[in-house]
Amino acid sequence: MCGIIGVTGEPDALPLILGALHQLEYRGYDSAGVALVAGGEIWRARAADGTHSVADLAALTADAPRGHAAAIGHTRWATHGHPTPENAHPHVDCTGRLALIHNGIIENHSALRADLVANGHTMTSATDTEVMVHLIERFMAEGSDLTAATRRMLGSVRGAFSIAVICADEPDTIVAARRSTPLVLGLRDGTAFLASDIPALIGHTREVYALADDELAVLTPGHLHVTTLEGAPVIPEQLTITWDLEAAQKGGFPDYMSKEMDEQPLAVATTLLDRRGAGGELILDELRISADELRRIDKVFIVACGSSYHAAAVAKYALEHWVKLPTEVDIASEFRYRDPVIGDRTLCVGVSQSGETLDTSEAMREASRLGAKVLVVSNVVDSSMARHADGVLYTRAGPEVGVASTKCHLAQIVALEILGLFLAQIHGTLTAPEIGEILNAMDELPALMTRTLSRRREVDEVASKLTDARDFFFLGRHVGYPVALEGALKLKELAYLRAEGYAAGELKHGPIALIEPGVVVVGIATRNPLWEKMLSNIAEVHSRGATVVLVADDGDEEAAAVADHVLWVPPTSPLLSPVIGVIPLQQLAYRLARLHGHDPDRPRNLAKTVTVE
Ligand code: AGP
């Protein structure tokens, strides 16, 4: 996710642009930049220090021209190309008379880049975005004006985009368009605005309009002209803004956690984007570890903490099933101090949304010292773990502000399973059709997640019946076991309730002695190879008086027969099912936290990133 802002009709808009970028930093802050039209030229400044880019950018604009025309600003969450000044937006064309900013991913950027270079264009970044501004340059050179050239460019690209582009030859004009990623427009007196979302505009106008998918807007001072990408006129929907600024940053949600739970389908969809080549094969551009090196791997370790460890535990089942490689999963704080058997044919994967967790980063350092190839799965481009690893695979969930990990956790599961399929492709343990079938099932996940999220009221109703419960077991088998661990962690860290995640088959070896009336057992009973055994384990605890809550596939009446409450989810293939099954457990923990009067965004004793031992 990136943040974009544009203003025309305001002759000294830089303070407004910088303030808006600060509001939008929660969407990404790897780098930031501004461009404006002044004196018949494009003036541009960019900063990329990874964390304080907007503040650094402000210092660079001290000598910017005042009395300018159109202006645009961008704060970046890198997906293609490291967060360096060269990769920071806005990007300019060969003539330097166009500047463009973008939020999204252009899937066919490689082919477009090759064609542009072959036709004499000089590219100055490693981003997908840059191809767009050079295409506009090409079409304007053929006689199109800025708007027509932008339309033609948008007809050439595939993927998700919110863009804004300015031109020195049309100083007061900003052309904007969107597909799949958000963009809002605003008007106030003789000024027109655009932004990634409402928080950036709230302080300046409440006359805000939504731009819909495949629509294009031409902004001039005090005017908006909206059409479809093909040019048919559109009357944009005006939004009623009742939020205050703080509420707006949460997108109207009461807290970041509920906003980020709602973003989970997009986080998974974006993580899945642009992973397939023209022939349907998996391509992992950013991996940095060659296929030959991966072909030599004969053992895999996956090491992490907390929710990231639970994602790793799901991946164990997938990798062993798909790749037939021994796959050990360990919590980083233990891995570091035992004597893991590691050699130069071991792949050690560190999973960390922040890329800064000390236990996990030290574990990776130890694995590297022992000769392993180190790959990091992280949500922060060029985080310290990503920088020190041999290879990286990024989740693209956008910044996660809530202390309890939600969208990053699910994106990690998907990223690790993509890695598993990539290893299966290289090791030849799955055929291309088999891989394609699994990827097709993955592509269905965002829609299934949206359906699951929409059932929140059913979860709230169950939560309201458990307000007095103080003792929870979360049980699962096969990939349901890591889901149980994650559900227990969420309840502990958000509602401060005693909750133990356990392998259901292990309960009879002692812990079942704890089962009595009043104990709540939450079972993960979505279909997987051990579903029948799972129902038997649940029947054992139900017969001993436990209150049973089951996560079960829609229509599974056999599961419902052994439960007091059912949290229904749409079915998917077993190895992908944790991406769905975790959602009602997040919602259950969230609701119980609220019922107990706790703030889900600021759980006691916790920090978002643990950079101490
Ligand atoms: C999860 O809800 C917790 N916030 C915590 O367990 C977290 O997953 C863990 O600290 C690992 O963080 P990382 O992914 O940034 O390494």
Side-chain angles (χ1 to χ4, degrees), residues 323-348:
V323 200
K324 309 298 181 204
L325 284 179
T327 303
E328 277 197 51
V329 174
D330 208 341
I331 52 177
S333 52
E334 287 300 312
F335 175 88
R336 290 177 62 189
Y337 301 108
R338 60 186 184 86
D339 295 318
V341 179
I342 284 179
D344 64 359
R345 297 183 64 188
T346 305
L347 175 67
C348 195

mmCIF file of all heavy atoms in Angstrom, residues 323-348:
data_model
loop_
_atom_site.group_PDB
_atom_site.id
_atom_site.type_symbol
_atom_site.label_atom_id
_atom_site.label_comp_id
_atom_site.label_asym_id
_atom_site.label_seq_id
_atom_site.Cartn_x
_atom_site.Cartn_y
_atom_site.Cartn_z
ATOM 1 N N VAL A 323 6.598 -30.870 -1.145
ATOM 2 C CA VAL A 323 8.014 -30.875 -1.553
ATOM 3 C C VAL A 323 8.748 -32.128 -1.088
ATOM 4 O O VAL A 323 9.837 -32.426 -1.548
ATOM 5 C CB VAL A 323 8.749 -29.613 -1.017
ATOM 6 C CG1 VAL A 323 10.026 -29.352 -1.810
ATOM 7 C CG2 VAL A 323 7.872 -28.373 -1.066
ATOM 8 N N LYS A 324 8.153 -32.863 -0.154
ATOM 9 C CA LYS A 324 8.745 -34.102 0.367
ATOM 10 C C LYS A 324 10.129 -33.841 0.961
ATOM 11 O O LYS A 324 11.034 -34.685 0.860
ATOM 12 C CB LYS A 324 8.851 -35.172 -0.731
ATOM 13 C CG LYS A 324 7.555 -35.422 -1.512
ATOM 14 C CD LYS A 324 6.433 -35.920 -0.637
ATOM 15 C CE LYS A 324 5.173 -36.181 -1.483
ATOM 16 N NZ LYS A 324 3.933 -36.104 -0.668
ATOM 17 N N LEU A 325 10.320 -32.638 1.525
ATOM 18 C CA LEU A 325 11.569 -32.344 2.225
ATOM 19 C C LEU A 325 11.300 -32.318 3.723
ATOM 20 O O LEU A 325 10.279 -31.787 4.155
ATOM 21 C CB LEU A 325 12.132 -30.975 1.802
ATOM 22 C CG LEU A 325 12.818 -30.884 0.441
ATOM 23 C CD1 LEU A 325 13.296 -29.442 0.201
ATOM 24 C CD2 LEU A 325 14.007 -31.855 0.345
ATOM 25 N N PRO A 326 12.222 -32.857 4.545
ATOM 26 C CA PRO A 326 12.025 -32.737 5.999
ATOM 27 C C PRO A 326 11.971 -31.263 6.383
ATOM 28 O O PRO A 326 12.856 -30.486 6.010
ATOM 29 C CB PRO A 326 13.240 -33.430 6.586
ATOM 30 C CG PRO A 326 14.229 -33.569 5.490
ATOM 31 C CD PRO A 326 13.471 -33.549 4.214
ATOM 32 N N THR A 327 10.922 -30.878 7.082
ATOM 33 C CA THR A 327 10.712 -29.471 7.425
ATOM 34 C C THR A 327 10.510 -29.335 8.928
ATOM 35 O O THR A 327 9.523 -29.803 9.473
ATOM 36 C CB THR A 327 9.474 -28.922 6.687
ATOM 37 O OG1 THR A 327 9.659 -29.096 5.278
ATOM 38 C CG2 THR A 327 9.268 -27.434 6.976
ATOM 39 N N GLU A 328 11.524 -28.728 9.577
ATOM 40 C CA GLU A 328 11.425 -28.519 11.026
ATOM 41 C C GLU A 328 10.941 -27.101 11.291
ATOM 42 O O GLU A 328 11.362 -26.157 10.613
ATOM 43 C CB GLU A 328 12.805 -28.695 11.671
ATOM 44 C CG GLU A 328 13.184 -30.125 11.958
ATOM 45 C CD GLU A 328 14.343 -30.191 12.961
ATOM 46 O OE1 GLU A 328 14.242 -29.544 14.030
ATOM 47 O OE2 GLU A 328 15.331 -30.860 12.642
ATOM 48 N N VAL A 329 10.071 -26.946 12.258
ATOM 49 C CA VAL A 329 9.588 -25.619 12.640
ATOM 50 C C VAL A 329 9.951 -25.403 14.098
ATOM 51 O O VAL A 329 9.782 -26.302 14.915
ATOM 52 C CB VAL A 329 8.056 -25.525 12.441
ATOM 53 C CG1 VAL A 329 7.511 -24.217 12.959
ATOM 54 C CG2 VAL A 329 7.717 -25.678 10.964
ATOM 55 N N ASP A 330 10.472 -24.218 14.421
ATOM 56 C CA ASP A 330 10.930 -23.998 15.782
ATOM 57 C C ASP A 330 10.693 -22.539 16.180
ATOM 58 O O ASP A 330 10.717 -21.642 15.328
ATOM 59 C CB ASP A 330 12.421 -24.294 15.876
ATOM 60 C CG ASP A 330 12.814 -24.739 17.281
ATOM 61 O OD1 ASP A 330 12.017 -24.452 18.202
ATOM 62 O OD2 ASP A 330 13.868 -25.343 17.445
ATOM 63 N N ILE A 331 10.472 -22.310 17.467
ATOM 64 C CA ILE A 331 10.396 -20.921 17.936
ATOM 65 C C ILE A 331 11.825 -20.402 18.035
ATOM 66 O O ILE A 331 12.737 -21.107 18.493
ATOM 67 C CB ILE A 331 9.643 -20.792 19.281
ATOM 68 C CG1 ILE A 331 10.195 -21.728 20.342
ATOM 69 C CG2 ILE A 331 8.162 -20.995 19.103
ATOM 70 C CD1 ILE A 331 9.520 -21.553 21.685
ATOM 71 N N ALA A 332 11.997 -19.174 17.617
ATOM 72 C CA ALA A 332 13.347 -18.642 17.440
ATOM 73 C C ALA A 332 14.134 -18.637 18.741
ATOM 74 O O ALA A 332 15.333 -18.922 18.759
ATOM 75 C CB ALA A 332 13.245 -17.231 16.870
ATOM 76 N N SER A 333 13.468 -18.331 19.855
ATOM 77 C CA SER A 333 14.195 -18.193 21.129
ATOM 78 C C SER A 333 14.743 -19.531 21.617
ATOM 79 O O SER A 333 15.643 -19.550 22.451
ATOM 80 C CB SER A 333 13.275 -17.601 22.200
ATOM 81 O OG SER A 333 12.073 -18.345 22.259
ATOM 82 N N GLU A 334 14.229 -20.645 21.093
ATOM 83 C CA GLU A 334 14.778 -21.966 21.431
ATOM 84 C C GLU A 334 15.790 -22.384 20.379
ATOM 85 O O GLU A 334 16.884 -22.853 20.690
ATOM 86 C CB GLU A 334 13.656 -23.006 21.535
ATOM 87 C CG GLU A 334 12.799 -22.858 22.769
ATOM 88 C CD GLU A 334 13.615 -23.006 24.049
ATOM 89 O OE1 GLU A 334 14.407 -23.966 24.151
ATOM 90 O OE2 GLU A 334 13.503 -22.111 24.925
ATOM 91 N N PHE A 335 15.455 -22.135 19.133
ATOM 92 C CA PHE A 335 16.326 -22.551 18.018
ATOM 93 C C PHE A 335 17.734 -22.017 18.224
ATOM 94 O O PHE A 335 18.722 -22.728 18.028
ATOM 95 C CB PHE A 335 15.737 -22.026 16.710
ATOM 96 C CG PHE A 335 16.582 -22.264 15.487
ATOM 97 C CD1 PHE A 335 16.472 -23.442 14.766
ATOM 98 C CD2 PHE A 335 17.496 -21.304 15.064
ATOM 99 C CE1 PHE A 335 17.252 -23.670 13.639
ATOM 100 C CE2 PHE A 335 18.290 -21.516 13.942
ATOM 101 C CZ PHE A 335 18.163 -22.693 13.231
ATOM 102 N N ARG A 336 17.807 -20.777 18.662
ATOM 103 C CA ARG A 336 19.114 -20.109 18.790
ATOM 104 C C ARG A 336 20.048 -20.871 19.736
ATOM 105 O O ARG A 336 21.273 -20.803 19.595
ATOM 106 C CB ARG A 336 18.924 -18.715 19.375
ATOM 107 C CG ARG A 336 18.272 -17.710 18.507
ATOM 108 C CD ARG A 336 18.081 -16.410 19.254
ATOM 109 N NE ARG A 336 19.361 -15.818 19.668
ATOM 110 C CZ ARG A 336 19.446 -14.784 20.484
ATOM 111 N NH1 ARG A 336 18.351 -14.252 20.995
ATOM 112 N NH2 ARG A 336 20.610 -14.259 20.811
ATOM 113 N N TYR A 337 19.491 -21.529 20.738
ATOM 114 C CA TYR A 337 20.331 -22.060 21.821
ATOM 115 C C TYR A 337 20.403 -23.579 21.866
ATOM 116 O O TYR A 337 21.012 -24.136 22.767
ATOM 117 C CB TYR A 337 19.838 -21.512 23.171
ATOM 118 C CG TYR A 337 19.872 -20.010 23.239
ATOM 119 C CD1 TYR A 337 18.706 -19.260 23.203
ATOM 120 C CD2 TYR A 337 21.098 -19.329 23.259
ATOM 121 C CE1 TYR A 337 18.742 -17.883 23.231
ATOM 122 C CE2 TYR A 337 21.142 -17.947 23.298
ATOM 123 C CZ TYR A 337 19.967 -17.234 23.276
ATOM 124 O OH TYR A 337 20.000 -15.863 23.298
ATOM 125 N N ARG A 338 19.780 -24.231 20.885
ATOM 126 C CA ARG A 338 19.998 -25.686 20.845
ATOM 127 C C ARG A 338 21.020 -25.926 19.742
ATOM 128 O O ARG A 338 21.599 -24.992 19.204
ATOM 129 C CB ARG A 338 18.682 -26.427 20.615
ATOM 130 C CG ARG A 338 17.912 -26.128 19.345
ATOM 131 C CD ARG A 338 16.546 -26.865 19.367
ATOM 132 N NE ARG A 338 15.786 -26.692 18.145
ATOM 133 C CZ ARG A 338 15.938 -27.453 17.078
ATOM 134 N NH1 ARG A 338 16.847 -28.403 17.084
ATOM 135 N NH2 ARG A 338 15.192 -27.251 16.013
ATOM 136 N N ASP A 339 21.293 -27.141 19.412
ATOM 137 C CA ASP A 339 22.297 -27.429 18.374
ATOM 138 C C ASP A 339 21.602 -27.941 17.125
ATOM 139 O O ASP A 339 21.636 -29.136 16.833
ATOM 140 C CB ASP A 339 23.317 -28.464 18.880
ATOM 141 C CG ASP A 339 24.142 -27.913 20.030
ATOM 142 O OD1 ASP A 339 24.545 -26.728 19.918
ATOM 143 O OD2 ASP A 339 24.301 -28.623 21.038
ATOM 144 N N PRO A 340 20.937 -27.043 16.391
ATOM 145 C CA PRO A 340 20.219 -27.513 15.202
ATOM 146 C C PRO A 340 21.190 -28.142 14.211
ATOM 147 O O PRO A 340 22.298 -27.646 14.032
ATOM 148 C CB PRO A 340 19.582 -26.247 14.641
ATOM 149 C CG PRO A 340 20.411 -25.122 15.168
ATOM 150 C CD PRO A 340 20.917 -25.576 16.495
ATOM 151 N N VAL A 341 20.752 -29.218 13.595
ATOM 152 C CA VAL A 341 21.617 -29.916 12.628
ATOM 153 C C VAL A 341 21.452 -29.225 11.278
ATOM 154 O O VAL A 341 20.432 -29.387 10.597
ATOM 155 C CB VAL A 341 21.237 -31.405 12.531
ATOM 156 C CG1 VAL A 341 22.125 -32.107 11.507
ATOM 157 C CG2 VAL A 341 21.358 -32.052 13.901
ATOM 158 N N ILE A 342 22.444 -28.392 10.945
ATOM 159 C CA ILE A 342 22.336 -27.523 9.766
ATOM 160 C C ILE A 342 23.586 -27.691 8.918
ATOM 161 O O ILE A 342 24.701 -27.803 9.452
ATOM 162 C CB ILE A 342 22.191 -26.055 10.219
ATOM 163 C CG1 ILE A 342 20.758 -25.808 10.715
ATOM 164 C CG2 ILE A 342 22.539 -25.088 9.096
ATOM 165 C CD1 ILE A 342 20.509 -24.406 11.207
ATOM 166 N N GLY A 343 23.411 -27.734 7.612
ATOM 167 C CA GLY A 343 24.563 -27.798 6.709
ATOM 168 C C GLY A 343 24.347 -26.884 5.523
ATOM 169 O O GLY A 343 23.390 -26.106 5.498
ATOM 170 N N ASP A 344 25.217 -26.998 4.503
ATOM 171 C CA ASP A 344 25.113 -26.052 3.376
ATOM 172 C C ASP A 344 24.002 -26.452 2.399
ATOM 173 O O ASP A 344 23.819 -25.807 1.381
ATOM 174 C CB ASP A 344 26.454 -25.955 2.642
ATOM 175 C CG ASP A 344 26.855 -27.284 1.999
ATOM 176 O OD1 ASP A 344 26.089 -28.273 2.140
ATOM 177 O OD2 ASP A 344 27.909 -27.323 1.348
ATOM 178 N N ARG A 345 23.283 -27.526 2.731
ATOM 179 C CA ARG A 345 22.110 -27.857 1.899
ATOM 180 C C ARG A 345 20.821 -27.649 2.690
ATOM 181 O O ARG A 345 19.768 -28.149 2.332
ATOM 182 C CB ARG A 345 22.217 -29.306 1.403
ATOM 183 C CG ARG A 345 23.433 -29.528 0.492
ATOM 184 C CD ARG A 345 23.492 -30.932 -0.054
ATOM 185 N NE ARG A 345 22.325 -31.198 -0.921
ATOM 186 C CZ ARG A 345 22.055 -32.418 -1.403
ATOM 187 N NH1 ARG A 345 22.841 -33.436 -1.071
ATOM 188 N NH2 ARG A 345 21.009 -32.600 -2.180
ATOM 189 N N THR A 346 20.925 -26.866 3.766
ATOM 190 C CA THR A 346 19.754 -26.546 4.578
ATOM 191 C C THR A 346 19.234 -25.171 4.182
ATOM 192 O O THR A 346 20.020 -24.235 4.017
ATOM 193 C CB THR A 346 20.126 -26.520 6.074
ATOM 194 O OG1 THR A 346 20.727 -27.760 6.431
ATOM 195 C CG2 THR A 346 18.887 -26.262 6.940
ATOM 196 N N LEU A 347 17.924 -25.050 4.032
ATOM 197 C CA LEU A 347 17.287 -23.747 3.832
ATOM 198 C C LEU A 347 16.642 -23.362 5.149
ATOM 199 O O LEU A 347 15.824 -24.118 5.678
ATOM 200 C CB LEU A 347 16.219 -23.822 2.737
ATOM 201 C CG LEU A 347 15.393 -22.544 2.516
ATOM 202 C CD1 LEU A 347 16.274 -21.411 1.965
ATOM 203 C CD2 LEU A 347 14.216 -22.803 1.577
ATOM 204 N N CYS A 348 17.052 -22.195 5.686
ATOM 205 C CA CYS A 348 16.466 -21.738 6.932
ATOM 206 C C CYS A 348 15.613 -20.511 6.642
ATOM 207 O O CYS A 348 16.099 -19.505 6.129
ATOM 208 C CB CYS A 348 17.561 -21.387 7.935
ATOM 209 S SG CYS A 348 16.891 -21.237 9.600
#
